[in-house]
Amino acid sequence: MEDSRMPKAVRYVELCSSNRDRGVNLLAIVILSRGNCGLSKCVTHYLVAMAAADLLVVMTDVILRWLIIYFPVSFLDITPICSLVTVFIFASTEISVWFTVTFTFDRFVAICCQKLKTKYCTEKIARVIIGAVTVLSCLESIPWFIRFQAQYIFNNLEWFCITKPEYYTSIFWAAYEILHRLLTPLLPFVLILLLNTLTVRHILKASRARRRLQEASDGVSPSDSEMDKRGKSIILLFTISGSFIVLWTPYVTCFLYQRIAFMSDSRTPSPIAGTIGYLLQLLSTCTNTCIYTVTQSKFREQLKKVVKYPFTLTLRFVKQ
């Protein structure tokens, strides 16, 4: 794929980090799937889906790209195959981004909309939303398949992918690319900021109201278990959505600046800035597990058990 060529140093960093990211995401999927982290089934479904989507991004956007670039003339260079890889790359990224949005919205409903919480924040609804986001993201990414044409035809087999000339002049492609960029990542970026702002506003109001009630009771009130539980949920929400915003901000900034510069014939940003933004975007696929470890004590306990398990099994085998 012509637009996937990057400096070798960048690709080397990507490949080295991809092995770590795969292990991290697989570990998160295994631990969360066991359901022993003290989280509701609804939240667990979203977190497992996010870890799986991040793993898919690593497999497609890093490993498959790397194989296409550094192992020329493989089956991945057949035109339909490399076109399909492009679809997988865009679809996996979109799925990963929108899973973060759906998780943020679920926590917004759970914290701010108590009447809707019982109907919306359920295991069944989480499965439906995860499935719908996956299907819609895949459908939205299908047009990327017809963006490319063959560079060579050998023995009636089309090889390599180059962009069709009409991609740069067609109104359809211009509209589609604008739609795609709105869906990933501009609209999710705005939605996450908005939902977090509304959540913080609701939390501050609720905290002030509870504090006034406690002061009116004329005594030392016991620990508020509801607020403690909500506090843990808030920490998890803000760290996940906050890391998404921080790591995607350079990419979004470079993208907007490039479009503005292109429209006004101004100087475009340095390619290094775009590369750094791209690498930070990929880094967001392995931060969630670190967030679980830092914010969730039960996840840390399960992580220790998983890490100790091979040694425990070996010790048991030796004793027998």
Side-chain angles (χ1 to χ4, degrees):
M1 290 176 292
E2 61 189 312
D3 58 346
S4 63
R5 292 191 174 91
M6 284 192 171
K8 289 187 176 181
V10 175
R11 283 296 164 194
Y12 179 75
V13 170
E14 288 181 358
L15 186 63
C16 291
S17 63
S18 69
N19 293 324
R20 180 194 65 236
D21 296 349
R22 279 183 295 169
V24 165
N25 287 316
L26 281 172
L27 194 62
I29 292 170
V30 171
I31 294 174
L32 291 168
S33 298
R34 298 177 66 187
N36 297 325
C37 296
L39 301 169
S40 67
K41 291 184 177 180
C42 176
V43 172
T44 301
H45 273 69
Y46 282 114
L47 296 183
V48 170
M50 290 165 66
D54 291 343
L55 177 62
L56 189 61
V57 172
V58 173
M59 297 294 291
T60 57
D61 205 357
V62 179
I63 296 176
L64 288 181
R65 278 184 191 257
W66 191 88
L67 290 173
I68 289 173
I69 293 171
Y70 291 102
F71 290 91
V73 196
S74 67
F75 77 98
L76 291 173
D77 290 304
I78 299 173
T79 303
I81 301 296
C82 65
S83 298
L84 194 61
V85 168
T86 303
V87 174
F88 286 153
I89 290 171
F90 282 108
S92 60
T93 302
E94 189 165 335
I95 289 169
S96 176
V97 168
W98 279 97
F99 278 171
T100 305
V101 176
T102 54
F103 172 72
T104 305
F105 183 74
D106 178 85
R107 293 299 85 198
F108 166 76
V109 172
I111 294 170
C112 304
C113 309
Q114 294 300 313
K115 292 182 179 179
L116 186 60
K117 176 183 176 181
T118 53
K119 294 182 179 180
Y120 182 82
C121 300
T122 63
E123 184 179 2
K124 181 180 179 181
I125 294 296
R127 288 177 178 175
V128 170
I129 290 175
I130 290 169
V133 168
T134 303
V135 171
L136 291 174
S137 297
C138 291
L139 291 175
E140 192 274 336
S141 302
I142 287 176
W144 292 111
F145 185 83
I146 60 174
R147 170 185 169 180
F148 300 103
Q149 65 183 18
Q151 187 174 7
Y152 303 108
I153 298 178
F154 182 74
N155 288 340
N156 294 324
L157 190 61
E158 297 180 336
W159 287 90
F160 303 108
C161 289
I162 59 172
T163 300
K164 294 178 180 178
E166 57 265 29
Y167 174 79
Y168 301 102
T169 57
S170 170
I171 297 177
F172 165 77
W173 280 112
Y176 175 72
E177 187 169 6
I178 291 173
L179 174 64
H180 179 77
R181 296 302 179 184
L182 284 174
L183 292 175
T184 310
L186 297 179
L187 182 58
F189 203 82
V190 172
L191 287 175
I192 289 174
L193 282 174
L194 176 62
L195 291 170
N196 282 342
T197 302
L198 293 175
T199 303
V200 169
R201 179 183 171 188
H202 177 84
I203 291 167
L204 292 176
K205 285 184 178 180
S207 298
R208 285 196 292 265
R210 283 178 177 268
R211 196 175 296 115
R212 284 196 296 268
L213 288 174
Q214 289 175 357
E215 290 173 355
S217 63
D218 294 329
V220 179
S221 60
S223 60
D224 196 333
S225 59
E226 178 64 24
M227 289 301 293
D228 292 340
K229 183 179 178 181
R230 186 176 295 181
K232 293 179 181 179
S233 180
I234 291 165
I235 291 172
L236 181 62
L237 166 65
F238 284 178
T239 48
I240 289 177
S241 56
S243 69
F244 171 84
I245 291 171
V246 170
L247 293 174
W248 273 84
T249 295
Y251 178 86
V252 173
T253 304
C254 286
F255 167 75
L256 292 175
Y257 187 77
Q258 283 175 347
R259 290 299 177 268
I260 294 171
F262 179 77
M263 293 173 63
S264 59
D265 294 328
S266 302
R267 184 180 177 182
T268 57
S270 169
I272 297 176
T275 301
I276 292 173
Y278 175 73
L279 289 175
L280 289 175
Q281 172 213 324
L282 290 179
L283 181 63
S284 67
T285 61
C286 66
T287 55
N288 287 342
T289 305
C290 300
I291 290 169
Y292 308 150
T293 305
V294 172
T295 61
Q296 303 294 311
S297 58
K298 290 189 177 181
F299 184 89
R300 291 195 296 271
E301 293 173 6
Q302 294 298 315
L303 179 61
K304 290 177 183 177
K305 289 181 181 179
V306 171
V307 172
K308 290 179 180 178
Y309 182 73
F311 301 100
T312 306
L313 197 64
T314 305
L315 207 65
R316 191 180 303 168
F317 177 76
V318 171
K319 286 181 180 179
Q320 289 178 351

